[in-house]
Amino acid sequence: MKRLLPLLLILPLAGFRPAPLPPPMPQDGPVRVALVDRDRGTELRSYPADGQRWVAGERGHRYAVRLYNDSPRRVLVVLSVDGVNAISGEDADPSQTGYVLNPGQRADITGWRKTQDEVAQFVFSSPSGSYASRTGRPDNVGVVGVAVFEEARRWYPRPQPILRGRAGPAPAAAEPSAAADASASRIEGYSAKSQAPALGTGHGARESSSVRDTDFERATRSPAQVLQLRYDSARNLRARGILLDSPSRLDRQPQAFPNRYVPDPPAR
């Protein structure tokens, strides 16, 4: 009897329609990942160093993991934060539950999933204050990673009312390549030159964030793409020789609705 794994969907979908075979995935993979400082309202720039991408965070600031599905098909994204699955709280592994993104969808994952309607915010914290450290798993603090899977079926959904479902495992005939296995293993290890990180990801305040279950069959056992971003304080990144842009030089897009509530008027 096959074991079924629940998978979570960003936007509700139901119903299926035949579609032509989509074009090949982009050469660098279907998904892009960025971190967003929610308190500043800016997508944080990443910097190359030591063969990886680095982001400077600020302690106490809330952040989101922004996922872009640049492909013309649905994908499953297994999200690891500090070596912990951001949905289940398990030690992260590509075989676990994740988020399903529609073709061309952008989604901001804002926290540790608590229920289908709520998350605990991602907050840049001290390493000792991170969720991973507080649950006895400090070894991978300072890294965000994704393992991306393509969908086996060639029937694509269109928006309809919510459909709850469960997902089947990858076909038994699918065999992972050695290269994919090596890439997937890097999502679990915060190894090279990672002494004394200054930031971790805390378990912040609760906020609303709704998802629903959906069906998704993985085309292969191994991920089609594995990405990771390492994050640390600006001071630590400069100590590594990474030249950072000052906050005043970072691009910030105009906001149509910069304030959430009406402020008091000035005193007379």
Side-chain angles (χ1 to χ4, degrees):
M1 181 175 179
K2 292 183 177 179
R3 184 169 66 95
L4 299 180
L5 298 174
L7 301 173
L8 294 171
L9 177 67
I10 295 295
L11 295 178
L13 298 172
F16 299 98
R17 60 182 173 83
L21 183 66
M25 291 289 192
Q27 291 299 312
D28 54 351
V31 170
R32 289 179 290 128
V33 180
L35 300 189
V36 178
D37 185 318
R38 298 175 64 195
D39 292 318
R40 291 187 180 276
T42 57
E43 187 171 297
L44 298 174
R45 178 177 172 181
S46 65
Y47 300 87
D50 303 328
Q52 300 189 67
R53 304 293 302 186
W54 294 81
V55 171
E58 188 168 343
R59 188 177 296 188
H61 282 214
R62 300 169 304 150
Y63 79 88
V65 181
R66 179 165 290 173
L67 305 173
Y68 296 89
N69 179 11
D70 292 330
S71 77
R73 64 187 78 178
R74 292 205 312 172
V75 295
L76 167 68
V77 181
V78 181
L79 175 60
S80 167
V81 177
D82 292 351
V84 178
N85 185 300
I87 293 175
S88 68
E90 303 169 279
D91 291 346
D93 186 275
S95 66
Q96 295 165 347
T97 187
Y99 288 101
V100 175
L101 302 185
N102 297 328
Q105 183 179 4
R106 188 192 86 177
D108 284 359
I109 311 301
T110 58
W112 306 99
R113 183 137 304 272
K114 307 303 292 184
T115 69
Q116 285 196 328
D117 296 305
E118 195 175 48
V119 296
Q121 295 171 353
F122 292 142
V123 181
F124 289 123
S125 69
S126 66
S128 62
S130 68
Y131 176 75
S133 293
R134 291 174 63 189
T135 55
R137 297 170 289 180
D139 293 343
N140 298 302
V141 168
V143 61
V144 172
V146 298
V148 182
F149 292 85
E150 301 177 34
E151 192 168 17
R153 64 188 178 205
R154 293 186 179 143
W155 296 83
Y156 292 87
R158 56 188 172 190
Q160 292 290 342
I162 291 171
L163 177 70
R164 297 171 66 93
R166 303 182 76 80
E175 294 294 337
S177 67
D181 277 351
S183 295
S185 67
R186 288 198 295 270
I187 207 170
E188 303 170 15
Y190 186 67
S191 54
K193 298 184 179 179
S194 59
Q195 299 176 17
L199 292 179
T201 297
H203 185 277
R206 302 286 187 100
E207 69 178 30
S208 297
S209 172
S210 295
V211 294
R212 293 295 181 266
D213 292 341
T214 189
D215 291 318
F216 189 98
E217 183 180 355
R218 305 178 194 218
T220 58
R221 289 187 183 278
S222 58
Q225 181 186 21
V226 176
L227 296 172
Q228 71 174 35
L229 279 174
R230 288 175 65 173
Y231 65 89
D232 211 334
S233 67
R235 179 177 179 178
N236 274 13
L237 295 195
R238 291 190 184 98
R240 290 177 176 273
I242 300 173
L243 300 178
L244 307 180
D245 288 335
S246 67
S248 62
R249 292 176 55 195
L250 295 177
D251 292 335
R252 187 184 187 281
Q253 298 299 321
Q255 304 293 312
F257 303 97
N259 295 313
R260 186 175 179 183
Y261 299 112
V262 176
D264 291 337
R268 291 183 179 274

